[in-house]
Amino acid sequence: MTFAHLEARADEIIGLYEYPRAAMLPLMWLVQADQGWISPEAEGWVAARLGVAISRVREVLSFYGMFRGEPMGRRELKVCTSLSCRLRGSEALLETIEDSLGIKPGETTPNGSVTLTKVECLCACEMSPMVQLDERFIGPVTADDTGTVAAITQDARSEPDSPAASPEPAPFIDSSGPVLSTRFGDPEGVWFDGYTAQGGYEAARKVLTSLKPEEVIEQVIAANLRGLGGAGFPAGRKWSFVPKNTEKPVYLVVNADEGEPGTSKDRHVMERDPHALLEGMLIAAFAIGAHKAYIYIRGEYFRPAQRLQRAIDEAYAQGWLGADVAGTGFALDVVVHRGAGAYICGEETALLSSLEGGKGQPKLKPPFPAISGLFGCPTIVNNVETIACVPFILRHGPERFAAIGTEKQGGTRLFCLSGHVERPGVFEEPVGVTLRELIEERGGGVRGGKRLKGVIPGGISARILTAEEIDIAMDFDSVGAAGSMAGSAGVIVMDEDTCMVSTLDSAAHFYADESCGQCSPCREGTGWIHRIVKRIGAGNGKLSDLDDLLTISHDMEGRTICVFSEAAAWPVQSYIAKFRGEFEDFIRSGRSLPSASAREVAHA
Amino acid sequence: MPELSIDGRKVNVPEGTTVIEAAEQLGIFVPRYCYHPGLSTAGNCRMCMVDVENSPKPQIACNLPATEGMVVETESEQARKDRAAVLEFLLANHPLDCPVCDQAGECDLQNYYMSFGLYDPRFGEQKVKKQKAIEVGPHVMLDQERCILCSRCVRFTDEITKTGEFGIFNRGDRAEVGLYPGETLDNPYSANVVDLCPVGALTERSFRFKARVWYLSSTESVCGGCSRGCNTELHHVSNRPHLNDGERLLRVKPRHNPDVNQWWMCDEGRYGHDWIDVDRLGEVRRRTDEASRRQVESTWEAALDGVGTALSAGGARVGVIASAELTNEDLFCLREVLGAHLGARIALPPAPAGGTSDDFLIRPDKTPNRKGATLLGIPDAATPSAEALVDAAIAGELDVLWVFGHDLVELVGAEKTRAAAVGECLLVYSGTNDHATVSLAHWVLPSAAAVEQDGTFVNCDGRVQRVGRALAPYGDSRENRRFLLEIAARTGTPAREDWNGPAGVFATMAEAVGSFAGMSYESIGDQGAHSAPSEALAEAEQS
Ligand SMILES: Cc1cc2nc3c(=O)[nH]c(=O)nc-3n(C[C@H](O)[C@H](O)[C@H](O)COP(=O)(O)O)c2cc1C
Ligand code: SF4
Ligand code: SF4
Ligand code: SF4
């Protein structure tokens, strides 16, 4: 194997970063795209190019799900089996695909044409159940939709560059605005001309020519913009933590690692309205004094990354990025950095570790990133959606943004409705919308007229709410007060026939799979919990398992480097607390008895 | 200087001190696996969690900066629960194979379980299977199942040796420590990872199944492998020699000394001690037949009389080839008895060129006490080279040539060595091990090794450090200084009574030699002390 033809591109890539080592993931992507996998020779080449020990390369290769340590099929068909897809029939879909291709997940067809892989959430929950063929998302596709399944498997067996036989997705995507989705109407995206025709970059021009950084921060604080990545921290306040007059460079890092099961929002911003993100980044970078920004985008997001890059290229060409932005003397460079399949990289310090070229392992705090983040320099990490709200605030004034929301949280959010609703999709709503309104009005209620059993309001990490608990506003504080969290606004709806043991198994599997493995309680606890839940699911549970699950999950809380461990504990605790009877009946009978009626029959 | 309180006791610490360090100042030990003062902070094991007033969550003491007014509890109900929980997680997938584990007895999983664990085990699932008994390098063995993923070994090869051999691969509970396939852990400091590993995941191949650690005795000493003088602990058994084919020194461990070796030592120093129990000289010998130069066993009485008589013959011309392997006490006695009184010319062969070295610990001079010799004026400016002394012996210009440790064949070649041995000059040899010169000598006086005596060395930086007697002198061997005093008695040298013990010799030396002025055996202690800069030293440095 030779790498001579990759050297020039490798030089270019390394040149984008402050330190060669940060080019680890992109170089590995480069080799993998070229050779189909990352061979030991390729590991050696990467190590030599970056000046690191080869064991560092192997660490990275083995940590990220998308890097291949051995040759695979010419194409890869990934089937999502995470909760949202599972609720809408991904297990049956996977079986059908297995039968059709004649292989099991992890296997490659004998002629080497396609590898079948079972994956965790691809954050396309509005189109669940869905699959990904190489770079393309396809959904919704169910097992009984034989035409589509046949087209997909047919496609999968053909050569990668043959025309796609399967249809593009067409789930419901809001475009009614008022803040984030206004330009979502065209699935092909709004580009520079379209964006400026609608007043794009006016806010950035105003900021760069007439405001001081402090004034920008004041406006963002006044707008009550909260971090929409999940934690809800006030964005303007975070920006104010960057030390003034620091000698070190300051970095803006946009978190586009969208990975929380049940979530689908950032991808639409990047695919359909990428310039809104770039304009928001210009304003944020100006406010914090950054001249270099990275967008860390999850590895599975091929098309969003390509569209984002196209928008960046346009912005450079139009003078809206580079050494002298729009003739104002302000400089900003933007680099898109692709992840490689690790949910934990959404956690901001893990994201920084990954961006620095390592495994996606969260870092100890203190120090906090605003003081010492990327490459040891002050760094602000914000979610895509958070940043995409910023141009609106600077253009229309903070009062208007604040007025849309609740007292302590301004604006709107992109809610992703998935699971058992009539109309799954992505809906932009003021943050004070109630969960009931979302499910009943926007989502058209529970599918097939069934009764509601439970809702996860903010991505799989959020505690479950029962049918009686949905009259709450969806802003961070209200959902928090109801004992759960607004999180990533991924709303997963479950009807009365949903088996909670199976739901917990889905969550437990996810966390066991995705724990970065550093902290003893999280590494061991997630695996332990998953093994117990699996055993219960196989009909071998004991009643004492339930208390063990509660205490083990309790022991995982508050004792780790990042809050992933808590996130893994909450589903366990809340599902068992709210549906204990169902768990006990499952353990006693050894089978799924999801609805009250089913349980009554079983007891009779 | 923030003041904080830990377990109800107040302590003032410099800004930037962590709580684990502050606790140490109070003598409060916070249990830990991943934390090590010589490595960066990883904070992954979560064992050092403490209870901090007004903090909703437990905090890891290793990464918690001490602040003014902070109130920390390490023994509260909460802190105990936190530690027990972490231990239960760590032991969940642990194989619990203590009966066949070399670490048993010095394992922090065992120790902490007894002190901080003692919960009712709940884990009843299938454990994650990993690889056991992998030889990762010439000295180190890895058992992945026993590993608790504290990452100390990874940080060591990353940060200290910068060789990067170790990695932790995969994630979640599939994470495992190891080397890149086909790589070996063969950097010059590889075995330190064994000391760092808090459990039995990394063990020493040379110590495998040799002894239960509770049978070992321990003596503080200093490595003689090069002029760095890394501080060591010698682990030995004297009462169960049958277990290890007579091997008495079972392993050497580095001992912390912030000014010399921090926590580390090199593999060469750690494993270069086979000679202590192999090919040793254990009996006095004398030449019986001039023609065949046959040697037979003799006695100390006969030898001391024989050599003493030769030395005290009127106007005897004496040459001595000293060795930088000798302790200061030996060298001082040698200087006083043979040099000052008998007028011997004392040569000291220079360190052979080409000794390996690095910019960390390993020094090119593979002797432990050249600086000590220099401070004692050995060799002085007027002394001829070792070769000149041998030439003088061949030319009949010497009556006695006394060689300490060196193999003349290596110094001057086989031909000259034979020529010196067949001449009129009495060839006396003292040393620890057998080599070509030994069989050519008229008298062979077996010396005790450095690990068989007390004394001091001066390392490359001028630090005076004590070696410790871990073992009894091999066979019939004796400390050099002891038989030199006997020679003194037989040659009318005014040796002092209080020279009998090493402390006594040192005290005299401190009076006589400016560089040691004001020091005593006690004041050197277990961490060593700096000798005063001397002119001789400065000169030696120049050349
Ligand atoms: C396990 C875990 C996963 C996370 N995943 C994401 C993610 O995919 N996207 C995101 O923006 N933030 C994610 N976060 C939150 C980030 O750590 C961080 O708070 C956020 O990016 C800050 O941006 P914001 O203030 O704009 O929300 C995650 C946090 C944790 C603990
Ligand atoms: S809590 Fe889990 S995911 Fe977070 S750092 Fe620790 S092991 Fe990694
Ligand atoms: S082998 Fe030992 S030192 Fe290395 S990570 Fe495992 S437990 Fe820690
Ligand atoms: S560096 Fe020198 S003194 Fe230290 S252990 Fe190695 S040989 Fe011994």
Side-chain angles (χ1 to χ4, degrees):
Chain A
M1 239 170 243
T2 90
F3 303 94
H5 61 296
L6 300 178
E7 297 289 354
R9 181 73 191 120
D11 285 335
E12 256 173 61
I13 292 173
I14 293 170
L16 294 174
Y17 295 89
E18 281 72 359
Y19 298 92
R21 188 176 166 165
M24 176 85 85
L25 270 63
L27 280 202
M28 291 173 78
W29 273 122
L30 179 71
V31 193
Q32 181 162 303
D34 184 67
Q35 310 184 341
W37 66 301
I38 299 168
S39 62
E41 294 93 322
E43 288 177 293
W45 177 73
V46 172
R49 287 304 314 242
L50 303 181
V52 300
I54 195 165
S55 58
R56 292 290 151 287
V57 182
R58 175 56 63 89
E59 280 191 336
V60 168
L61 172 60
S62 65
F63 186 89
Y64 295 91
M66 293 182 76
F67 287 140
R68 302 170 176 178
E70 46 198 51
M72 288 170 61
R74 286 187 293 280
R75 310 198 73 171
E76 185 176 11
L77 182 62
K78 294 177 171 155
V79 181
C80 174
T81 55
S82 209
L83 184 56
S84 297
C85 283
R86 198 194 285 213
L87 291 173
R88 292 184 80 94
S90 64
E91 280 168 333
L93 173 65
L94 178 62
E95 268 177 40
T96 313
I97 292 176
E98 285 172 9
D99 290 347
S100 162
L101 292 176
I103 50 174
K104 296 273 172 209
E107 294 175 358
T108 303
T109 49
N111 64 1
S113 64
V114 58
T115 301
L116 180 63
T117 317
K118 207 164 109 172
V119 295
E120 284 296 346
C121 192
L122 293 168
C123 285
C125 314
E126 81 281 7
M127 58 168 94
S128 58
M130 57 82 65
V131 301
Q132 183 175 19
L133 180 57
D134 290 340
E135 304 189 352
R136 196 156 46 98
F137 282 9
I138 306 164
V141 45
T142 50
D144 47 22
D145 184 357
T146 44
T148 312
V149 174
I152 291 170
T153 50
Q154 168 61 34
D155 233 17
R157 284 198 207 88
S158 56
E159 287 306 304
D161 47 7
S162 69
S166 51
E168 279 294 314
F172 178 80
I173 308 295
D174 207 342
S175 60
S176 59
V179 180
L180 291 154
S181 65
T182 322
R183 286 170 297 274
F184 277 10
D186 184 355
E188 291 315 311
V190 169
W191 301 97
F192 187 80
D193 292 340
Y195 186 64
T196 44
Q198 297 180 51
Y201 286 109
E202 274 171 24
R205 186 183 301 281
K206 182 172 88 181
V207 165
L208 296 182
T209 53
S210 66
L211 292 184
K212 293 203 196 70
E214 309 83 79
E215 292 168 334
V216 178
I217 294 180
E218 275 162 28
Q219 294 208 21
V220 173
I221 290 177
N224 284 339
L225 175 62
R226 303 274 290 264
L228 301 178
F233 193 85
R237 276 209 19 237
K238 190 192 297 189
W239 297 1
S240 72
F241 295 154
V242 173
K244 302 282 169 285
N245 309 321
T246 161
E247 300 274 285
K248 294 178 174 175
V250 175
Y251 294 103
L252 172 67
V253 175
V254 173
N255 190 340
D257 194 50
E258 187 154 71
E260 178 75 22
T263 312
S264 176
K265 59 190 189 71
D266 302 339
R267 180 166 47 88
H268 302 289
V269 174
M270 294 183 284
E271 286 201 350
R272 297 181 182 218
D273 199 11
H275 282 285
L277 176 62
L278 293 182
E279 186 178 7
M281 288 172 68
L282 265 172
I283 298 169
F286 176 79
I288 62 173
H291 299 291
K292 178 85 175 262
Y294 288 96
I295 303 172
Y296 186 102
I297 184 168
R298 72 178 292 179
E300 295 86 346
Y301 279 1
F302 291 91
R303 189 170 72 172
Q306 285 152 7
R307 292 203 183 177
L308 205 48
Q309 190 58 52
R310 175 174 157 193
I312 291 169
D313 294 344
E314 279 189 328
Y316 270 106
Q318 301 290 338
W320 276 101
L321 283 177
D324 179 14
V325 174
T328 63
F330 182 75
L332 183 67
D333 284 309
V334 175
V335 172
V336 175
H337 185 94
R338 294 182 56 218
Y343 163 74
I344 192 58
C345 290
E347 196 279 340
E348 59 183 4
T349 56
L351 183 153
L352 297 177
S353 303
S354 177
L355 190 41
E356 288 166 351
K359 296 182 281 184
Q361 291 191 323
K363 303 184 191 198
L364 292 176
K365 286 154 267 194
F368 291 90
I371 309 298
S372 175
L374 188 63
F375 310 126
C377 300
T379 303
I380 291 296
V381 183
N382 270 126
N383 172 255
V384 168
E385 193 186 6
T386 313
I387 295 289
C389 289
V390 171
F392 181 96
I393 295 170
L394 272 295
R395 186 165 163 205
H396 301 289
E399 302 76 16
R400 180 150 160 212
F401 186 85
I404 298 171
T406 57
E407 194 194 331
K408 288 196 184 136
Q409 184 180 355
T412 60
R413 289 196 85 172
L414 295 170
F415 291 95
C416 174
L417 268 179
S418 67
H420 299 141
V421 282
E422 280 293 350
R423 184 169 67 150
V426 178
F427 305 88
E428 179 176 1
E429 287 293 319
V431 298
V433 66
T434 70
L435 188 49
R436 183 180 298 283
E437 285 165 347
L438 273 177
I439 297 170
E440 294 179 356
E441 289 165 29
R442 308 311 305 268
V446 177
R447 188 174 67 168
K450 291 250 169 80
R451 276 191 302 177
L452 179 65
K453 181 172 191 172
V455 197
I456 298 171
I460 204 168
S461 308
R463 291 190 178 88
I464 196 166
L465 298 170
T466 61
E468 292 73 48
E469 296 173 302
I470 63 171
D471 292 302
I472 53 165
M474 288 296 280
D475 61 292
F476 284 108
D477 304 303
S478 307
V479 186
S484 186
M485 67 175 183
S488 63
V491 177
I492 309 172
V493 176
M494 292 173 236
D495 70 15
E496 56 189 318
D497 294 335
T498 309
C499 172
M500 292 315 293
V501 175
S502 160
T503 303
L504 183 56
D505 179 69
S506 173
H509 177 270
F510 174 75
Y511 290 107
D513 203 41
E514 298 289 349
S515 162
C516 90
Q518 286 188 91
C519 314
S520 329
C522 174
R523 175 184 67 239
E524 304 298 335
T526 50
W528 190 355
I529 284 177
H530 183 223
R531 274 169 274 176
I532 296 178
V533 175
K534 228 171 32 182
R535 181 163 50 71
I536 295 176
N540 299 319
K542 300 174 291 199
L543 283 174
S544 63
D545 288 335
L546 297 180
D547 284 334
D548 281 353
L549 284 171
L550 290 177
T551 49
I552 295 165
S553 67
H554 177 77
D555 284 348
M556 290 164 62
E557 273 184 273
R559 295 184 167 125
T560 51
I561 293 176
C562 83
V563 294
F564 176 99
S565 193
E566 267 102 332
W570 293 333
V572 179
Q573 294 165 0
S574 70
Y575 299 0
I576 295 178
K578 293 186 179 174
F579 301 96
R580 184 153 188 139
E582 183 184 335
F583 277 91
E584 288 175 352
D585 286 347
F586 190 117
I587 289 169
R588 283 200 201 93
S589 66
R591 64 198 163 98
S592 178
L593 297 168
S595 64
S597 50
R599 298 222 299 284
E600 271 159 31
V601 174
H603 283 309
Chain B
M1 291 278 284
E3 185 187 76
L4 70 163
S5 128
I6 305 178
D7 294 348
R9 291 160 61 196
K10 292 214 156 28
V11 61
N12 272 296
V13 291
E15 203 72 48
T17 307
T18 59
V19 168
I20 207 166
E21 292 162 343
E24 220 123 275
Q25 286 191 23
L26 288 170
I28 297 170
F29 179 79
V30 183
R32 77 287 300 265
Y33 292 112
C34 69
Y35 167 79
H36 189 282
L39 303 173
S40 65
T41 309
N44 58 36
C45 76
R46 316 308 289 178
M47 193 61 202
C48 71
M49 287 187 292
V50 293
D51 197 359
V52 182
E53 195 178 78
N54 297 328
S55 161
K57 291 180 179 184
Q59 300 289 327
I60 46 172
C62 69
N63 193 48
L64 183 65
T67 53
E68 182 61 38
M70 186 178 250
V71 179
V72 178
E73 292 290 340
T74 74
E75 287 298 334
S76 64
E77 184 61 26
Q78 186 59 48
R80 284 164 184 280
K81 272 195 197 151
D82 292 335
R83 291 191 295 240
V86 168
L87 271 171
E88 186 172 19
F89 283 123
L90 283 174
L91 286 165
N93 275 305
H94 193 81
L96 300 177
D97 53 357
C98 311
V100 293
C101 178
D102 278 325
Q103 192 84 358
E106 54 184 357
C107 172
D108 286 342
L109 268 182
Q110 285 185 329
N111 297 345
Y112 295 172
Y113 179 76
M114 298 314 288
S115 322
F116 310 109
L118 295 176
Y119 49 80
D120 290 329
R122 293 176 289 186
F123 190 86
E125 313 306 311
Q126 191 73 39
K127 296 189 188 233
V128 179
K129 282 261 162 269
K130 293 176 190 168
Q131 265 185 284
K132 297 181 82 70
I134 316 168
E135 289 171 0
V136 289
H139 304 302
V140 181
M141 196 94 177
L142 165 66
D143 183 315
Q144 291 180 327
E145 288 187 349
R146 292 182 191 150
C147 169
I148 57 165
L149 295 161
C150 72
S151 81
R152 277 186 182 181
C153 57
V154 180
R155 281 174 284 146
F156 179 80
T157 53
D158 250 21
E159 298 164 11
I160 307 296
T161 59
K162 301 190 171 65
T163 44
E165 290 96 335
F166 276 108
I168 293 179
F169 308 115
N170 301 323
R171 64 188 191 208
D173 64 5
R174 284 89 58 216
E176 59 190 28
V177 82
L179 267 57
Y180 187 85
E183 299 269 293
T184 21
L185 179 71
D186 54 3
N187 73 64
Y189 298 91
S190 72
N192 289 292
V193 298
V194 173
D195 312 331
L196 280 172
C197 182
V199 299
L202 295 172
T203 48
E204 279 182 88
R205 288 178 62 181
S206 69
F207 188 65
R208 198 163 159 76
F209 304 137
K210 262 196 191 161
R212 283 319 206 169
V213 295
W214 48 87
Y215 293 129
L216 297 180
S217 314
S218 168
T219 304
E220 293 183 346
S221 194
V222 164
C223 174
C226 80
S227 61
R228 175 71 64 192
C230 293
N231 291 205
T232 57
E233 243 173 54
L234 308 175
H235 292 174
H236 42 95
V237 284
S238 28
N239 49 351
R240 319 170 87 78
H242 53 282
L243 288 180
N244 298 296
D245 302 328
E247 201 184 332
R248 298 171 299 163
L249 184 58
L250 290 192
R251 61 178 191 183
V252 178
K253 293 280 179 192
R255 181 163 57 88
H256 180 224
N257 188 326
D259 296 319
V260 182
N261 53 313
Q262 295 97 48
W263 296 266
W264 328 118
M265 74 185 296
C266 79
D267 291 350
E268 197 133 336
R270 183 189 301 253
Y271 296 112
H273 56 72
D274 279 356
W275 61 273
I276 288 169
D277 289 315
V278 175
D279 282 341
R280 277 298 292 278
L281 301 178
E283 59 187 31
V284 177
R285 299 182 74 79
R286 78 180 159 87
R287 192 190 284 180
T288 51
D289 179 69
E290 281 305 318
S292 67
R293 294 185 299 284
R294 211 168 68 84
Q295 287 178 340
V296 294
E297 183 172 351
S298 181
T299 64
W300 276 105
E301 272 313 297
L304 293 167
D305 287 346
V307 176
T309 309
L311 289 172
S312 35
R317 296 159 302 172
V318 184
V320 174
I321 298 178
S323 156
E325 308 259 356
L326 304 189
T327 62
N328 292 316
E329 291 69 15
D330 284 354
L331 288 169
F332 181 69
C333 290
L334 188 153
R335 167 183 122 167
E336 294 300 305
V337 176
L338 302 181
H341 187 66
L342 296 172
R345 291 185 290 166
I346 306 173
L348 182 72
T356 53
S357 66
D358 58 22
D359 54 7
F360 186 35
L361 298 178
I362 301 171
R363 306 300 304 148
D365 183 349
K366 301 304 171 193
T367 59
N369 198 34
R370 189 167 309 275
K371 201 140 266 184
T374 313
L375 294 180
L376 288 163
I378 299 173
D380 68 35
T383 311
S385 68
E387 181 147 24
L389 284 183
V390 175
D391 288 342
I394 296 169
E397 292 158 11
L398 278 186
D399 300 307
V400 179
L401 176 61
W402 195 338
V403 180
F404 285 85
H406 288 284
D407 180 0
L408 291 182
V409 176
E410 274 174 22
L411 286 179
V412 300
E415 214 167 302
K416 280 194 179 181
T417 306
R418 289 177 60 83
V422 298
E424 291 298 302
C425 176
L426 187 78
L427 183 59
V428 183
Y429 178 80
S430 306
T432 52
N433 290 70
D434 200 13
H435 54 61
T437 307
V438 175
S439 56
L440 295 173
H442 291 92
W443 290 101
V444 178
L445 310 181
S447 307
V451 296
E452 294 163 347
Q453 58 185 306
D454 291 305
T456 58
F457 286 151
V458 183
N459 87 342
C460 54
D461 296 320
R463 193 177 188 84
V464 187
Q465 310 194 95
R466 278 163 57 169
V467 295
R469 173 177 165 136
L471 309 167
Y474 181 84
D476 209 11
S477 68
R478 291 184 183 177
E479 292 99 322
N480 293 318
R481 99 183 115 70
R482 219 179 114 199
F483 59 72
L484 283 168
L485 291 185
E486 304 259 11
I487 293 288
R490 284 169 170 78
T491 55
T493 310
R496 288 171 39 172
E497 298 240 318
D498 55 6
W499 284 17
N500 277 325
V505 180
F506 192 89
T508 320
M509 196 164 70
E511 278 167 29
V513 181
S515 301
F516 300 128
M519 293 176 129
S520 73
Y521 211 60
E522 290 68 40
S523 73
I524 296 169
D526 59 5
Q527 293 278 290
H530 251 277
S531 55
S534 79
E535 272 170 41
L537 203 60
E539 254 168 52
E541 227 98 272
Q542 302 276 305
S543 58

